[in-house]
Amino acid sequence: MAKKIHLRVVTPDAVKAELSADMVIMRCNTGDMGVLPGHEACSAVLDYGVLRIMNEGSEERRMAVFGGVAQIRDDVVSILANSAEWPEDIDHAKVEAARDAAQRRLQEETDDMDIARDQVLLRRSLVQLEVSTYSTLNKPSS
């Protein structure tokens, strides 16, 4: 049996994932980081992005992760995220409305704090939209 990575994703509200994977790719503040079994121990600061969880063949799951930290040690990836959502947890219509509202406000605002807030809201909604549509896409082929 091939060696696996144990992945645990925890938010302040709940344990969002506890599973095994062949590879995990996460969005860090310095770019994407891929983790395979045997990865050296390290920690990383997470950005808003898509967490990709891959297993043998063409199985791949995606989760929206919004900031936090990841610790990698002994084939265990522990993610403490501010927020995380599976595709089935995302209300696509609500997120599209939030994206449109943030884009509209960004075109009108001049206050730096409001602009920064709406840029974060826009990034969040774009990640949610990407992840929410994934469950309807074909799985990657091997």
Side-chain angles (χ1 to χ4, degrees):
M1 185 166 140
K3 199 166 187 183
K4 295 276 199 175
I5 299 166
H6 181 79
L7 173 66
R8 182 175 170 92
V9 179
V10 180
T11 68
D13 298 330
V15 175
K16 294 290 188 169
E18 183 100 34
L19 47 89
S20 294
D22 291 328
M23 181 177 189
V24 175
I25 300 174
M26 62 193 107
R27 174 64 47 91
C28 301
N29 65 350
T30 56
D32 286 352
M33 175 191 284
V35 179
L36 292 166
H39 196 284
E40 68 180 32
C42 68
S43 296
V45 177
L46 300 176
D47 200 352
Y48 282 26
V50 178
L51 176 69
R52 297 175 57 201
I53 305 156
M54 293 179 233
N55 276 301
E56 191 172 319
S58 62
E59 185 182 334
E60 179 178 343
R61 293 199 67 197
R62 293 187 183 195
M63 174 184 269
V65 174
F66 304 104
V69 295
Q71 180 185 42
I72 300 144
R73 188 177 79 201
D74 300 328
D75 293 327
V76 176
V77 177
S78 299
I79 294 177
L80 303 173
N82 297 330
S83 178
E85 298 173 312
W86 288 109
E88 57 270 18
D89 298 332
I90 298 170
D91 181 338
H92 195 81
K94 184 177 177 183
V95 172
E96 282 183 330
R99 177 201 58 198
D100 294 344
Q103 287 175 326
R104 199 171 38 257
R105 285 191 308 267
L106 280 169
Q107 292 174 348
E108 300 166 359
E109 292 172 337
T110 58
D111 183 89
D112 290 343
M113 290 297 289
D114 290 338
I115 291 171
R117 178 203 65 221
D118 286 327
Q119 287 174 332
V120 169
L121 292 173
L122 181 58
R123 281 182 49 211
R124 180 182 181 92
S125 64
L126 292 174
V127 169
Q128 288 174 308
L129 288 171
E130 179 180 346
V131 169
S132 71
T133 59
Y134 186 76
S135 60
T136 62
L137 298 176
N138 292 329
K139 301 282 184 199
S141 60
S142 24

